[in-house]
Amino acid sequence: MAKATSTAPKKSAAKKKSTTKPKRSVPAKPALKLIRNDKYLEPFSDAINGRHAMAEKKILELTDKGKTTLKDFASGHLYFGLHHLDDGRWVLREWAPNATSIFIVGDFNNWTETPKYAMKRIRKTGNWEIVLPANALQHGQLYKLHIKWEGGEGERIPAWATRVVQDEVTKIFSAQVWAPEQAYKWEVKKFKPSTDPLLIYEAHIGMAQDAERVGTYREFKENILPRIVKDGYNCIQLMAIQEHPYYGSFGYHVSSIYAASSRFGTPEELKELIDAAHQEGVAVIMDIVHSHAVKNENEGLGNFCGDPTQFFYPGERREHPAWDSLCYDYGKNEVIHFLLSNYKYWLEEYHFDGFRFDGVTSMLYFSHGLGEAFTGYPDYYNGHQDDNAICFLTLANVLIHQINGNAITVAEEVSGMPGLAIPFKDGGYGFDYRLAMNIPDYWIKTIKELRDEDWKPSSMFWEVKNRRADEKTISYCESHDQALVGDKTIIFRLIDADMYWHFKKGDQNYNTERGIALHKMIRLVTAATINGGYLNFMGNEFGHPEWIDFPREGNGWSHKYARRQWNLVDNPELCFHYLGDFDQAMLKVLKKEDHFQKTPVTEIWHNDSDQILAFRRGDLYFFFNFSPNRSYDGYGFMVPEGSYKYLLNTDAITFGGHGLNEDEIEHFTNWDPMLSKDGKGWLKLYLPARSACVLRGVRG
């Protein structure tokens, strides 16, 4: 009996085990690629995963749990604003939740409130609408919204206005009915940018002409675009396109984010410019400003309908402490809708090829990055970051690439936030590139603080390659920032006042010769080490003199310094063309190596005492002698056996050098039984002081 009772439970247990499905453990979710690529990010996995999950959740929220897409969601401009319907009627809609009444006023009703032009609230929403007969409005007429709210009222430009103009006499801004009889017909309907490598020409329409006045879209197309094409740039970055009340803000105090600035011309003329660029194989991206907005109430959104927080953060976060502007509330879905739709509008209506995002650092941090040191990874995950803004930027990149898979997005970001230029699926924010803002700061510091004899090639080489290995960057020596009044361009830091007196051929002094030589070398070492792209600001390629100072009360509203003096580079008697010609030749060299920006930068040699640097990219070999007074004859470098021919020499007479080398000579490597190995031999070159050269391996 005992034996029987002892075996029964075992049979029962065996039977139970055979009929019950074993529990399966849920496999751990694999770490995001951003974290896998950088083990030092592992301690911050929770924060990184949390930001990623927040964006995923927001996408589901905005797309009805994935039933639609962000592209569908970001269509506010097709609903809001003024539209001319197919049957000839007009419809105007605005989001104004705090309004008690809204009237359209304009030159068609003597700017007075009339029942015919009264808008109606759409049910119990914050949206207002009016449908008008065909004869109520005409193309070119001016209008505003007269909005009333509890305790106040005011005339406002519609938030979704796509055309805003300023009266030349009164200086008052108004929206303008813009419905030409024929829509613009694009010559290039689909365009794929060339990014091999991406070579950006940063430009401002208004100051792109010689004359002391505001330039136009058409003048830029006819006069500047051909220069950009000839120079070899394949992308134009246009500044100050979104309408801004104050010209001197350089376009960074935006009032109407949907309106192309009318001071430069009409929407059709901007489209003509973009279309013409595409016909030349040149992409056009916009410097877009969603990091802040102008405070103005009459022109902007500062107090659109009696609620100062309709578009902007409440409390202390509403105002930017350094920029005298307002900060969007990225946690409010209506604001997200307003801003995301803006990307779709510019991409589809104007065929822009992407965006350079202004002020990303300011968006990422509650402090706007002010007073922050950013010395280590904890600074990026310490709870001082605006998760709403991070989520918004992620959504923006997902949307843009959903609309156009070839679109280009560039982040202006100085803190070094990891993952900025990593795809969203890998845990990043989705930008294609980030600006290498450390490089111009390095060159300024070097020129200001060090004697030429103390310039160290090892330091230069480290700085121009100082970037995250898995993120593409746009390298540059200087942008518009360094050209503004109060700062100095590289050429002015090097030469200063001697530019005015010794920049004529035959009249160069030591300062001008030094400046010309170093200007070329700084650009070459910066451009030659890119891992994504290179940027130059309009005119800096030829050493444009003076600073940029827009018309203002302090200078008598003068345009003298808000222009580009192309006559200087076109004058064969002046030295400016040396620098312009070199820039053009340099870009040609970069294009000679397929996938140049992806080719590894391999150091050959550096010697800080000699001030020598050498590195290669594929079959291109770069040699620099930064010494101000020592030339080297027969300086040897271990390189693959073969012969080498000059492609570029900064010391060439055609670029303002002394022509101390015979660039037509083919150089052959020498075998050294003691040192040569792995198919390498000595390449011995003459390296004049303050010069650089690029050679190509012919055969090995």
Side-chain angles (χ1 to χ4, degrees), residues 98-103 113 119 121 128 146-149:
N98 200 50
T100 56
S101 66
I102 303 178
F103 293 86
E113 300 174 19
M119 299 184 72
R121 186 185 291 272
W128 294 72
H146 191 118
I147 304 178
K148 297 182 179 181
W149 56 85

Side-chain angles (χ1 to χ4, degrees), residues 360-613:
V360 171
T361 304
S362 176
M363 298 172 69
L364 294 178
Y365 303 94
F366 295 136
S367 67
H368 304 293
L370 301 172
E372 300 272 4
F374 302 111
T375 56
Y377 281 4
D379 295 331
Y380 305 121
Y381 307 103
N382 57 10
H384 298 171
Q385 295 74 36
D386 186 345
D387 288 341
N388 289 335
I390 290 172
C391 182
F392 168 75
L393 289 169
T394 306
L395 266 59
N397 277 287
V398 171
L399 166 70
I400 290 165
H401 293 101
Q402 199 174 89
I403 295 171
N404 181 357
N406 297 313
I408 298 163
T409 58
V410 183
E412 185 219 24
E413 207 284 314
V414 73
S415 78
M417 171 69 78
L420 204 65
I422 294 288
F424 171 58
K425 64 180 178 63
D426 296 331
Y429 301 172
F431 286 96
D432 297 301
Y433 306 89
R434 62 191 307 160
L435 288 179
M437 301 184 72
N438 59 299
I439 296 177
D441 290 344
Y442 171 80
W443 289 124
I444 291 170
K445 184 177 177 66
T446 298
I447 296 170
K448 282 176 63 175
E449 299 180 4
L450 297 180
R451 300 182 310 147
D452 292 4
E453 292 83 357
D454 296 329
W455 289 27
K456 294 183 178 181
S458 61
S459 175
M460 298 176 196
F461 197 52
W462 186 88
E463 197 66 52
V464 293
K465 298 194 298 100
N466 179 18
R467 57 211 175 204
R468 297 184 62 81
D470 52 355
E471 300 192 43
K472 292 186 293 184
T473 59
I474 302 296
S475 298
Y476 62 108
C477 311
E478 53 188 344
S479 67
H480 71 274
D481 287 325
Q482 288 73 44
L484 285 168
V485 64
D487 206 337
K488 285 185 178 181
T489 60
I490 285 177
I491 198 69
F492 239 89
R493 289 188 184 279
L494 292 169
I495 302 176
D496 213 273
D498 281 344
M499 286 209 62
Y500 298 114
W501 310 109
H502 297 283
F503 230 60
K504 185 176 181 179
K505 287 182 180 178
D507 193 32
Q508 302 100 305
N509 62 8
Y510 174 81
N511 277 345
T512 54
E513 288 196 350
R514 169 183 177 265
I516 289 171
L518 289 175
H519 192 272
K520 292 177 290 185
M521 295 181 72
I522 287 170
R523 272 165 166 66
L524 181 59
V525 73
T526 302
T529 49
I530 60 173
N531 77 328
Y534 175 74
L535 176 142
N536 167 71
F537 176 66
M538 176 177 66
N540 284 357
E541 72 276 11
F542 67 84
H544 193 284
E546 300 164 344
W547 51 82
I548 298 167
D549 190 12
F550 281 92
R552 56 186 173 86
E553 187 175 0
N555 65 15
W557 302 103
S558 170
H559 287 79
K560 182 177 180 179
Y561 298 110
R563 60 187 179 124
R564 297 285 90 176
Q565 299 180 56
W566 304 105
N567 64 89
L568 298 176
V569 71
D570 292 341
N571 189 335
E573 296 183 1
L574 301 178
C575 295
F576 294 98
H577 82 85
Y578 287 146
L579 303 178
D581 293 346
F582 175 79
D583 192 75
Q584 187 179 134
M586 179 181 74
L587 298 188
K588 284 182 180 178
V589 168
L590 302 190
K591 294 176 182 178
K592 288 185 180 294
E593 182 72 26
D594 291 339
H595 311 299
F596 178 82
Q597 77 285 359
K598 296 179 181 179
T599 306
V601 182
T602 305
E603 183 177 2
I604 297 170
W605 176 256
H606 82 262
N607 186 306
D608 285 345
S609 296
D610 294 343
Q611 296 184 274
I612 297 293
L613 173 66

Side-chain angles (χ1 to χ4, degrees), residues 328-347:
Y328 286 110
D329 185 346
Y330 306 107
K332 191 179 289 185
N333 281 355
E334 293 88 349
V335 176
I336 294 174
H337 187 227
F338 179 63
L339 297 176
L340 288 185
S341 299
N342 196 230
Y343 299 111
K344 183 176 178 180
Y345 170 76
W346 292 112
L347 288 170

Side-chain angles (χ1 to χ4, degrees), residues 78-119:
L78 302 177
Y79 177 79
F80 291 106
L82 179 65
H83 298 279
H84 203 186
L85 301 175
D86 291 340
D87 61 7
R89 294 183 301 162
W90 302 87
V91 62
L92 175 66
R93 301 185 186 95
E94 278 291 327
W95 175 53
N98 200 50
T100 56
S101 66
I102 303 178
F103 293 86
I104 305 177
V105 296
D107 50 14
F108 41 80
N109 63 6
N110 202 28
W111 300 94
T112 58
E113 300 174 19
T114 56
K116 177 181 177 180
Y117 291 94
M119 299 184 72

